[in-house]
Amino acid sequence: LTREEVALNAAIGSMKLWRRRVPCRHPKDKRNTDLLRAEFPKRTEISETEKRGITMSQLRRVYRFACQHSRRWGHEKASNMKTLDLYDLCHWLIKPATRDFDCSLVELMADGQQKPDWFVSHWWGELIV
């Protein structure tokens, strides 16, 4: 085999593994961070924290991402949408997505300031479903 054929076979093999949803061992795993970078690129900076309200469509976007990718998260509880809570979501999605930019999750999705109409308190142990 030529060098190009070997490289092509290796790339095809890794794509097959990717399609099988190989679990990530850690939130900083390159596969996890690459997915997060693609879905949540840095969009804006909102210096006033009180103007970082999250919209329902943004919450749905986070939920859809978790539904599509949580099976890859290498932790039994986090990989099941019926048991995934906000602690898991923070560990596998929010912190890795925001770490390099040192920003909030809203800043990765918003086009500008988003003044909230409501304040909703939560407990991190709540299930996301």
Side-chain angles (χ1 to χ4, degrees):
L1 295 173
T2 68
R3 192 178 309 159
E4 290 82 16
E5 290 170 325
V6 170
L8 181 60
N9 286 339
I12 290 170
S14 67
M15 286 190 302
K16 286 179 183 173
L17 285 174
W18 185 254
R19 276 192 228 118
R20 281 191 229 141
R21 297 180 179 240
V22 175
C24 298
R25 294 202 168 115
H26 192 275
K28 292 181 187 177
D29 186 303
K30 183 170 174 20
R31 290 170 294 188
N32 192 48
T33 56
D34 286 350
L35 285 167
L36 290 167
R37 291 286 167 271
E39 180 65 28
F40 303 104
K42 177 75 169 170
R43 297 183 55 109
T44 191
E45 186 172 323
I46 304 170
S47 59
E48 299 171 88
T49 56
E50 67 274 14
K51 296 193 178 157
R52 293 181 191 163
I54 191 165
T55 66
M56 282 304 294
S57 63
Q58 291 166 341
L59 283 172
R60 284 187 203 100
R61 183 174 166 191
V62 170
Y63 178 77
R64 276 192 307 271
F65 184 89
C67 287
Q68 291 171 348
H69 301 289
S70 64
R71 289 185 181 158
R72 286 192 176 110
W73 298 340
H75 184 273
E76 186 178 332
K77 184 172 149 290
S79 64
N80 183 340
M81 286 301 290
K82 291 180 181 175
T83 57
L84 182 70
D85 63 26
L86 293 174
Y87 284 117
D88 300 318
L89 196 67
C90 187
H91 183 72
W92 286 96
L93 190 154
I94 298 169
K95 283 186 176 181
T98 60
R99 180 177 287 116
D100 291 343
F101 297 116
D102 192 27
C103 67
S104 71
L105 186 62
V106 168
E107 291 172 295
L108 299 179
M109 297 184 287
D111 290 322
Q113 295 181 347
Q114 298 180 164
K115 188 176 176 187
D117 293 323
W118 298 92
F119 173 81
V120 178
S121 185
H122 65 83
W123 169 55
W124 285 101
E126 291 177 295
L127 301 178
I128 69 161
V129 180

